[in-house]
């Protein structure tokens, strides 16, 4: 062995440091601590531009049409292609009470980024203001989310909720997704057709719902009874937990009942938005039969 190899040249020392750093990184990754890697945009792609303060950007034909039809919306401006305006039924955009800019699809791409399927229409608007639980109407069916944070799931749950006639979606102030274009696009217009109710303490809110005559049913893949056998009475609140974690212990202890969906197949659990749709269908059938 040469003296250079024995003593270690500067180049050897450099590669040794790199190998040690690589081993340390691998060790952290094995323990679940993966180094953060920012995805690089492909050539020609643009990163999304942040919305103005206090505004959200909603996009997609169904989402934008529903927002335009909602008198509670405070819209600042709209960007749309001529084709999108035609599909939205807007013949004279100058008559709308906000600025409308006629653009090309790539102009919206530059604002929303490459992943947004905007169909040529985007609005900037103030987010809807959640209501208090005391503002709950006399609806017989509501949804309650226990820290479900994925906007795609929440959007899909909203869509199913509106389809099956749920009157409100109850979420907590923390650990709930903010109104975003992603959530609104997944909801496909449903965001404008259901009351959003925000509470600080979910267990206390469930007690308030009990006092208002609701049976609160927590969905749990290991629930002691099938969902249909659990229904009783004419007001139902379906309570769903987050992916993976499920319902929190305090929530499980507070609901009227824990119930499972009857699934005879090898898979024993569903995505939370799919479970919500099935539970809503079953609850609506119970209510339609007289709620007994």
């Amino acid at each position: 062995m040469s003296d250079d190899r024995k003593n270690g040249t500067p180049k050897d020392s450099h590669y040794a440091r790199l190998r040690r750093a690589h081993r340390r990184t691998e060790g952290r990754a094995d323990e679940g601590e993966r180094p953060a890697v920012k995805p690089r945009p492909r050539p020609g792609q643009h990163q999304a531009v942040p919305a103005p303060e206090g505004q959200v950007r909603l996009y997609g034909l169904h989402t934008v049409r529903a927002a335009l039809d909602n008198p509670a919306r405070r819209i600042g401006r709209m960007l749309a292609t001529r084709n999108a305006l035609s599909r939205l039924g807007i013949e004279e955009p100058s008559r709308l009470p906000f600025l409308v800019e006629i653009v090309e699809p790539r102009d919206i791409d530059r604002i929303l980024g490459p992943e947004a399927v905007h169909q040529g229409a985007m609005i900037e608007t103030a987010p809807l203001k959640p209501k208090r639980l005391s503002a709950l109407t006399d609806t017989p069916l509501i949804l309650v989310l226990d820290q479900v944070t994925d906007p795609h799931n929440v959007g899909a749950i909203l869509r199913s909720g509106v389809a099956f006639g749920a009157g409100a979606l109850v979420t907590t102030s923390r650990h709930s997704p903010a109104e975003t274009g992603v959530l609104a696009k997944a909801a496909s217009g449903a965001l404008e057709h259901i009351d959003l109710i925000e509470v600080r303490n979910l267990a206390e809110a469930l007690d308030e719902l009990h006092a208002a005559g609701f049976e609160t049913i927590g969905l749990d893949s290991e629930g002691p009874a099938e969902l249909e056998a659990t229904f009783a009475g004419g007001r139902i609140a379906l309570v769903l937990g987050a992916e993976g974690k499920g319902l929190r212990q305090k929530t499980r202890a507070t609901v009227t009942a824990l119930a499972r969906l009857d699934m005879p197949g090898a898979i024993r659990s569903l995505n939370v938005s799919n479970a919500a749709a099935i539970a809503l269908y079953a609850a609506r059938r119970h209510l339609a039969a007289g709620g007994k």
Side-chain angles (χ1 to χ4, degrees), residues 132-172:
R132 295 177 180 272
L133 192 58
S134 58
L136 185 66
T137 64
D138 59 356
T139 176
L141 180 61
I142 65 172
L143 289 158
V144 181
L145 302 186
D146 184 11
Q147 297 191 353
V148 179
T149 57
D150 187 309
H152 295 91
N153 280 333
V154 176
I157 290 169
L158 282 166
R159 187 174 184 179
S160 295
V162 171
F164 288 107
L169 178 80
V170 180
T171 63
T172 53

Side-chain angles (χ1 to χ4, degrees), residues 61-264:
L61 293 175
H62 288 299
T63 302
V64 169
R65 179 71 268 174
L68 293 174
D69 292 338
N70 184 358
R73 278 288 178 192
R74 302 200 328 270
I75 299 172
R77 73 165 178 159
M78 177 179 184
L79 273 65
T81 64
R82 292 187 184 279
N83 180 56
L85 289 172
S86 176
R87 296 175 68 184
L88 289 168
I90 300 174
E91 296 180 359
E92 297 186 47
S94 60
R95 290 190 175 185
L96 293 173
F98 46 81
L99 175 65
V100 178
E101 299 178 36
I102 299 175
V103 298
E104 296 297 322
R106 61 178 176 270
D107 298 319
I108 304 178
D109 289 339
R110 291 191 187 101
I111 296 173
L112 296 178
E115 302 301 322
V117 183
H118 54 73
Q119 300 172 291
M122 182 203 83
I123 60 172
E124 291 177 348
T125 176
L128 294 173
K129 187 176 181 180
K131 299 180 179 180
R132 295 177 180 272
L133 192 58
S134 58
L136 185 66
T137 64
D138 59 356
T139 176
L141 180 61
I142 65 172
L143 289 158
V144 181
L145 302 186
D146 184 11
Q147 297 191 353
V148 179
T149 57
D150 187 309
H152 295 91
N153 280 333
V154 176
I157 290 169
L158 282 166
R159 187 174 184 179
S160 295
V162 171
F164 288 107
L169 178 80
V170 180
T171 63
T172 53
S173 304
R174 298 177 60 194
H175 305 295
S176 296
E179 182 181 331
T180 62
V182 172
L183 187 153
K185 186 71 166 63
S188 192
L191 190 61
E192 316 298 328
H193 298 287
I194 190 169
D195 285 342
L196 304 177
I197 293 178
E198 201 171 85
V199 299
R200 290 187 177 181
N201 186 299
L202 189 59
E204 291 179 1
L206 292 173
D207 284 336
E208 287 188 49
L209 291 174
H210 296 155
F214 279 92
E215 179 192 20
T216 59
I217 302 175
L219 265 66
D220 188 318
S221 60
E222 303 298 326
E226 293 180 10
L227 178 62
E228 292 86 344
T230 310
F231 293 136
R235 303 192 88 185
I236 296 172
L238 297 169
V239 187
L240 299 107
E243 293 280 5
K245 296 186 300 182
L247 299 171
R248 290 176 294 164
Q249 185 57 42
K250 181 65 173 176
T251 305
R252 292 167 59 88
T254 308
V255 294
T256 308
L258 292 170
R260 68 181 186 275
L261 299 177
D262 181 27
M263 290 182 287

